[in-house]
């Protein structure tokens, strides 16, 4: 029986970019993440490290075929979230478009005093993830199984023929 193996591309190590848009700083970060729990742990660490940021928004795609996806628009308080659909959704779409999987994107925003509007926020969050994807060192995984076959030497030719 032949199994259908799915090759996928992910990132080798975390990476970060910075964009300044109308005095607001957008730090786009990508992290490798194999499970939703691992992604949540990294996100929690980011929120703790960048506690003074206006927003720490995230999105991830996990699984060989990108089967698990999630997003989160978050601010400092429950009332301080980015307008609906302006952060997490564009970030997730940028990740999906990149073709990467097993990756978490976190965009940390430090508000610069100028409102960007819904369109400006969508562009800022999308480009933060897209630029981080460009900067990331990517690696390709081709899942495979490894076997060890032991047989007597006189059967070497037959074994090779059977394997081919």
């Amino acid at each position: 029986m032949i199994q259908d193996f799915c090759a996928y591309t992910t990132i080798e190590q975390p990476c970060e970019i910075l964009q300044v848009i109308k005095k607001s700083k957008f730090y786009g970060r990508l992290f490798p993440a194999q499970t939703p729990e691992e992604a949540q742990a990294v996100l929690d660490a980011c929120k703790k490290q960048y506690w003074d940021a206006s927003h720490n928004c995230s999105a991830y795609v996990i699984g060989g075929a990108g089967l698990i996806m999630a997003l989160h628009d978050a601010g400092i308080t429950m009332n301080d979230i980015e307008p609906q659909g302006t952060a997490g959704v564009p970030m997730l779409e940028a990740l999906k478009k990149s073709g990467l999987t097993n990756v978490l994107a976190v965009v940390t925003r430090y508000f610069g005093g100028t409102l960007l509007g819904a369109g400006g926020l969508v562009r800022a969050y999308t480009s933060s993830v897209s630029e981080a994807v460009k900067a990331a060192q990517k690696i390709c995984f081709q899942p495979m199984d490894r076997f060890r076959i032991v047989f007597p030497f006189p059967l070497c030719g037959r074994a090779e023929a059977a394997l081919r």
Side-chain angles (χ1 to χ4, degrees), residues 151-163:
F151 50 86
F153 183 75
L155 297 177
C156 186
R158 285 177 135 177
E160 183 178 356
L163 288 172

Side-chain angles (χ1 to χ4, degrees), residues 31-43:
F31 300 91
Q34 302 296 316
T35 64
E37 296 78 18
E38 186 179 340
Q40 187 61 52
V42 172
L43 178 58

Side-chain angles (χ1 to χ4, degrees), residues 12 21 103 133:
E12 190 166 22
I21 301 170
V103 64
V133 166

Side-chain angles (χ1 to χ4, degrees), residues 6-72:
C6 175
Y8 64 92
T9 304
T10 188
I11 60 170
E12 190 166 22
Q13 59 193 9
C15 74
E16 176 181 314
I17 60 98
L18 167 65
Q19 294 190 106
V20 179
I21 301 170
K22 293 189 179 179
K23 298 183 184 175
S24 284
K25 292 181 181 178
F26 290 85
Y27 291 89
R29 297 180 183 88
L30 295 181
F31 300 91
Q34 302 296 316
T35 64
E37 296 78 18
E38 186 179 340
Q40 187 61 52
V42 172
L43 178 58
D44 292 343
C46 283
K47 287 179 180 180
K48 189 174 184 179
Q49 183 176 359
Y50 304 104
W51 59 270
D52 59 338
S54 304
H55 304 281
N56 284 293
C57 302
S58 65
Y60 63 76
V61 177
I62 294 177
L67 298 176
I68 304 171
M69 298 181 208
L71 57 94
H72 185 67

Side-chain angles (χ1 to χ4, degrees), residues 3 5 142-149:
Q3 269 188 308
F5 290 109
Q142 178 68 44
M144 61 181 71
D145 289 327
R146 204 172 165 176
F147 297 94
R148 180 182 173 146
I149 302 172

